[in-house]
Amino acid sequence: MATTAGRLFFSCLFLGLALLIRRRGAAGAAPFGIPGAKGKTTLRLALLGLLLAFHWWSFFEAIRLSSVALGLLAFSTFPLFTALIDPLVSRKPLSAFDIAKAALSMAGVGIVAPAFDLGDPQFQGLAWGMASGLSYAVLSIGNRGMVARLGSLKLAFSEQAFALAFLLPFALGLELRLTLAELSLLALLGLVFTGLSHSLFIDSLKVVRPQAASLASALEPVYGILFSALLLGQSPRAREVAGGLLIIAAIALPGKVPLGSLKKEKKE
């Protein structure tokens, strides 16, 4: 909780400064105002912020309870959640390949998963990782409808400000004693790997579908697990490698055959 709130604090500082600098090049533009903001827009931003707070908190909880490898592999299912949920929102036909990929991905999760035991921290970590992936998929789809109107910087700042507001009361109740090195790492996490990366990801949604953006993010488990092995000495187990390969293969497979077209072919 404290880590998530800390990264959001530094990220909001970065994004707020970026909005103020950009305002100097646009006379009269309100840096933090929402164009035509009404109750509905504000409520939607607040819900997206709550979803973002849950996504980051559940991701760190997954890693805390299990390992970097298991947490990342569980989270990496989010492109499949995106592929299954997005057609319901955009009202486009569900791809037959997307259903097959989801089944393949779940098979990978089954291999990675420890014994079904709600009291097992490894199983809890897997569950929280998948919850983080599901929330991220919904967040990506929700952002697509807002980024064209607000812009990536303003949308990222608004979401993260709401997320920080939700988490701050919990974080303030914790006793924290951070060293200068820990504070520096938290600032790096917030400035570069939260503020900059989140706004760039949102900006990409202007030109690519959420599924395509999700595919690019699917590489995160690969380099994340590699760095965890090099820096933390947490090497993935054989079943995590096997299950991870299935999950990544499922994400990488194309999905261009709508179910409706298959039915037409059968009739013909």
Side-chain angles (χ1 to χ4, degrees):
M1 191 73 73
T3 303
T4 306
R7 76 184 292 188
L8 282 168
F9 172 76
F10 284 108
S11 180
C12 284
L13 285 180
F14 166 78
L15 293 172
L17 181 61
L19 284 170
L20 286 172
I21 293 173
R22 193 177 68 173
R23 183 195 178 191
R24 299 179 109 179
F32 306 111
I34 301 171
K38 294 185 179 178
K40 246 187 213 185
T41 304
T42 305
L43 177 60
R44 185 171 179 180
L45 286 171
L47 290 174
L48 289 173
L50 180 60
L51 198 60
L52 180 65
F54 174 79
H55 154 63
W56 275 331
W57 174 79
S58 56
F59 177 70
F60 282 117
E61 190 70 3
I63 292 176
R64 184 185 71 82
L65 288 168
S66 54
S67 65
V68 173
L70 188 59
L72 280 170
L73 288 174
F75 166 69
S76 67
T77 56
F78 80 86
L80 280 307
F81 287 125
T82 305
L84 294 175
I85 297 172
D86 187 50
L88 300 176
V89 177
S90 60
R91 297 182 181 179
K92 293 187 177 180
L94 183 64
S95 167
F97 279 113
D98 286 338
I99 296 177
K101 289 192 297 181
L104 184 60
S105 180
M106 290 303 104
V109 171
I111 294 174
V112 170
F116 186 87
D117 181 3
L118 295 178
D120 182 4
Q122 294 290 313
F123 183 82
Q124 293 173 6
L126 180 72
W128 280 120
M130 292 187 69
S132 178
L134 175 60
S135 60
Y136 194 58
V138 177
L139 183 68
S140 299
I141 294 169
N143 282 337
R144 184 185 58 187
M146 300 287 286
V147 65
R149 180 179 176 187
L150 300 182
S152 56
L153 274 180
K154 192 168 287 189
L155 177 57
F157 176 80
S158 301
E159 284 182 1
Q160 292 184 26
F162 275 115
L164 180 59
F166 288 126
L167 290 175
L168 205 54
F170 300 98
L172 291 176
L174 302 174
E175 290 186 11
L176 298 177
R177 294 180 181 178
L178 297 176
T179 65
L180 182 59
E182 291 171 337
L183 190 61
S184 300
L185 288 173
L186 191 60
L188 178 66
L189 176 64
L191 296 173
V192 178
F193 300 109
T194 303
L196 180 61
S197 62
H198 187 220
S199 57
L200 288 175
F201 181 81
I202 290 176
D203 198 50
S204 72
L205 297 175
K206 292 179 182 177
V207 292
V208 299
R209 291 178 60 79
Q211 294 98 319
S214 297
L215 288 175
S217 300
L219 291 174
E220 183 175 355
V222 178
Y223 56 73
I225 291 173
L226 178 62
F227 279 118
S228 73
L230 293 174
L231 302 177
L232 304 176
Q234 293 185 0
S235 299
R237 292 170 291 181
R239 73 179 187 185
E240 290 174 343
V241 173
L245 288 174
L246 274 182
I247 295 171
I248 294 171
I251 294 167
L253 286 173
K256 297 182 179 180
V257 181
L259 288 175
S261 65
L262 291 179
K263 292 178 181 177
K264 287 179 182 178
E265 287 177 7
K266 288 180 181 179
K267 289 179 181 179
E268 293 172 357

